[in-house]
Amino acid sequence: MNEKLQACLFDLDGVIVDTAKYHFKAWSRLSEELVIPFDAADNERLKGRSRVDSLEYILRKGSLVLDNDTKVKLMDRKNEWYLDQVKQMTPSELAPGVVELMDELRAAGVKVGLGSSSRNAPLILDLCGISNRFDVVVDGNSITLSKPDPEVFLKGAETLGVPPSRTVVFEDAVSGVEAAINGGFQVVGVGSSDSLSQADFVIADFEGFSMAELLSRLS
Ligand code: BG6
Ligand code: MG
């Protein structure tokens, strides 16, 4: 077993699958109904944030104050629209190279876990045929604090019995990179190095990215 790398925790949305476009469509539709402007930059800010935090952000933007029951109804509607798109997902939507990396890690004795804010994570893993590829799944159903709080990753590492310092997190969201840093993890940003500059290093995608490269780039 490698001393500095004993576990990897993968975020789901934006790392394993590109569901941000589905969230964007559903939040845009809701915002339109509420007559609140919502654009791609807003969607970017919501990456990694829980469903309720995302709704609160939109309501704040529109200076709209609503009671709890109404908020729950709005979130349910948004989620229905989101699920209408997600239900069509197949393994073809997996990020190229990510499953190969997960398999390589597990074959080398490195534990692999999921650390996602999404309550739809189990369904998406199932539709993409990768539910059985994780040693632990921590998602929006089992956490109380949203990223940038490190709870989701700390729970994952604790269940795996690996200290954060020997666990690498893969994240596409600024809030997720912050969560990993807050928890004492090493973190690989997946996406643009401009927005994810706080990560230990950034990869554009998983194509051709191997465990050997991960090890060579870890401090
Ligand atoms: C995160 C996404 O993974 O999950 C966010 O990046 C999303 O955009 C959050 O709001 C919660 O997702 P869900 O599926 O529980 O509404
Ligand atoms: Mg993400």
Side-chain angles (χ1 to χ4, degrees):
M1 165 159 340
N2 189 289
E3 270 309 295
K4 61 180 176 180
L5 181 65
Q6 296 182 2
C8 286
L9 294 172
F10 290 77
D11 171 49
L12 176 66
D13 297 309
V15 169
I16 297 178
V17 284
D18 176 20
T19 40
K21 57 188 183 220
Y22 303 142
H23 281 296
F24 186 39
K25 268 199 189 166
W27 284 128
S28 296
R29 185 168 170 185
L30 190 76
S31 304
E32 211 173 295
E33 282 194 1
L34 297 170
V35 202
I36 298 171
F38 185 81
D39 59 22
D42 292 314
N43 198 55
E44 198 58 38
R45 273 188 212 112
L46 297 187
K47 284 184 178 174
R49 310 263 173 185
S50 67
R51 200 179 301 171
V52 65
D53 282 4
S54 303
L55 178 68
E56 296 288 2
Y57 169 92
I58 291 167
L59 297 180
R60 254 196 323 276
K61 199 175 175 208
S63 308
L64 204 58
V65 178
L66 299 174
D67 61 64
N68 242 4
D69 284 357
T70 312
K71 286 185 198 170
V72 170
K73 278 184 195 130
L74 292 179
M75 284 190 287
D76 286 351
R77 298 243 310 285
K78 182 267 170 179
N79 198 47
E80 264 175 43
W81 296 329
Y82 177 65
L83 286 178
D84 283 345
Q85 305 169 84
V86 160
K87 275 183 212 147
Q88 324 284 332
M89 287 179 79
T90 66
S92 68
E93 291 194 48
L94 288 164
V98 73
V99 172
E100 288 81 350
L101 177 64
M102 282 164 34
D103 286 351
E104 189 192 1
L105 291 164
R106 289 188 78 196
V110 178
K111 305 248 189 245
V112 168
L114 187 90
S116 166
S117 306
S118 172
R119 294 166 65 188
N120 294 303
L123 171 69
I124 294 173
L125 295 183
D126 200 33
L127 289 167
C128 291
I130 54 167
S131 304
N132 60 356
R133 280 190 150 87
F134 297 91
D135 298 299
V136 64
V137 170
V138 185
D139 60 40
N141 301 294
S142 46
I143 53 169
T144 51
L145 300 165
S146 183
K147 298 170 186 176
D149 189 281
E151 181 185 9
V152 68
F153 297 132
L154 290 174
K155 267 201 169 174
E158 195 186 349
T159 308
L160 295 174
V162 177
S165 59
R166 295 189 178 174
T167 302
V168 172
V169 168
F170 288 88
E171 256 297 346
D172 71 307
V174 174
S175 62
V177 169
E178 284 170 6
I181 293 169
N182 290 338
F185 295 86
Q186 305 177 77
V187 54
V188 178
V190 183
S192 143
S193 42
D194 295 340
S195 51
L196 303 174
S197 57
Q198 279 187 289
D200 289 285
F201 68 92
V202 178
I203 56 173
D205 54 51
F206 288 99
E207 275 182 278
F209 183 73
S210 62
M211 184 174 151
E213 187 176 346
L214 175 61
L215 285 171
S216 78
R217 295 183 73 177
L218 289 177
S219 52

